[in-house]
Amino acid sequence: MSSSTPASADQPQIGTARVKRGMAEQLKGGVIMDVVNAEQAKIAEDAGAVAVMALERVPADIRKDGGVARMSDPDMIEGIINAVSIPVMAKSRIGHFVEAQVLQALGVDYIDESEVLTPADEVNHSDKWAFTTPFVCGATNLGEALRRIAEGAAMIRSKGEAGTGNVVEAVRHMRQINADIRRLTTLDENELYVAAKNLQAPYELVKEVAQLGKLPVVLFSAGGVATPADAALMMQLGAEGVFVGSGIFKSGDPAKRAAAVVKATTFFDDPKVIADVSRGLGEAMVGINCDTLPETERYANRGW
Amino acid sequence: MSTSIPTIGVLALQGDVREHQIALAEADALARPVRRAEELAEVDGLVIPGGESTTMSNLALAFDLMEPLRARVAAGMPVYGSCAGMIMLADKILDGRDDQQTVGGIDMVVRRNAFGRQNESFESEIAFKGFEDEPVHGVFIRAPWVESVGAGVEVLAELPAADGAESRIVAVRQGNLLATSFHPELTGDHRVHALFVRMVEEAVRTRA
């Protein structure tokens, strides 16, 4: 996997773990926005998004419409790829490795194996090592994050609860992941074996996290960010960047809100900047109270 | 300021800031993030990290950092740019956003995302002028290349021609400005950062 094979040292190598994880490193401090057409993708790029997530319906509409949510139409994804110069991500269903193969063939820059779509396999996630295209996956705690990394995920996002405009679950998951990491760093080496058992994660990854004090891949936040202050909150809680789904294009003035969220993400620790960019943004998306959501409608429960 | 340890900023609008700060620290510089004009005024040199060049350009304009950056470059401050940072240092870019501005300073034309999309991102050994004993391990991520350079620009590394493709310039230096298409900050080999720290030390000495 590394560069140490002498026979191929002179040959360029694609799809390595370093190239996949390194791509996510380049997105840090940035905002990745859900878009459903080329026009929205341009608005996102103009506002300073580091990447866009191409999908047919934003999570708020997936919730409203119900039914099975699947990978987007290749024409629509290609339309977005052709419209912008920034990286384009797209979602496959959990365990639907053929949708992932299609997305790789279309040339998307990152695949999100996402709980927002209806899972295709309730036992297995896709084997992400089998792809050249890197994957991002959601997690609600450290064990889940490390299982995804063991399967080849090159980036993790806390799940939150997509399509609600309510940041409470994003906060819960980010705090949980970071609390789990902090706890590992306090353990004696002998205690890491049981920690791995309890986390249901590979010992080698558990040991690596205990040593690094962070995940071995980039950690973003997702699911419920609707305002610049929400984005800054997630950054102050330890996110390395932010996904914004329905929050932008379900609001009153998407272009202005998008630019404001980008600025608040960069200056997440400067309340004066956050105050400034929060003025006159128009209506935020309406939002849903997560405690009124039935268990079966909670996307965060999908994936394991 | 003319002590032995120079202070080097890392432009922290967006990108892999942390990795550059670690690389600079290991190359014996004091590294700190720069997001504001006041912070820029306090550093002896600057790294523009990898990241998304359209985002960096957008934020540099929105927070009134573009002109101070150009002024410091014009005044001779050493700057090193990797990937997006190379784009930011180019006098002219191709395949950028229509109204995308750069800091400029190096007389070169840089083509954005020239090596292709993420699926074409790669790692490769590269011969690098000055590091003849061992090649540099280049990590290229949606990387740009240098399409052409002016007379005052020294080419430090080229990716040799292969499979019918032309050779491509991937590292250059002009005066106090250094740029690479690839990401030495992701490899643990800090020779490029050490070279830049020496450039900053030299500039500080000359100024003193």
Side-chain angles (χ1 to χ4, degrees), chain A residues 16 46 85 109 133 270, chain B residues 14 36 97 112 117 119 123:
Chain A
T16 61
D46 289 347
S85 66
D109 296 294
T133 312
D270 187 336
Chain B
Q14 190 274 316
R36 299 174 180 83
R97 248 176 39 127
R112 217 172 134 234
R117 304 189 69 83
N119 287 344
E123 304 182 39

Side-chain angles (χ1 to χ4, degrees), chain B residues 138-172:
Chain B
V139 181
F140 293 80
I141 297 176
R142 285 174 53 96
W145 68 46
V146 180
E147 194 101 355
S148 62
V149 294
V153 179
E154 183 186 10
V155 173
L156 298 177
E158 274 184 273
L159 203 66
D163 298 333
E166 291 174 51
S167 69
R168 297 295 178 185
I169 301 171
V170 293
V172 296

Side-chain angles (χ1 to χ4, degrees), chain A residues 233-261:
Chain A
L233 173 65
M234 297 319 300
M235 294 296 288
Q236 287 201 27
L237 286 172
E240 296 181 285
V242 180
F243 284 85
V244 188
S246 322
I248 287 173
F249 290 99
K250 284 286 162 188
S251 75
D253 188 343
K256 195 168 178 190
R257 183 168 295 264
V261 172

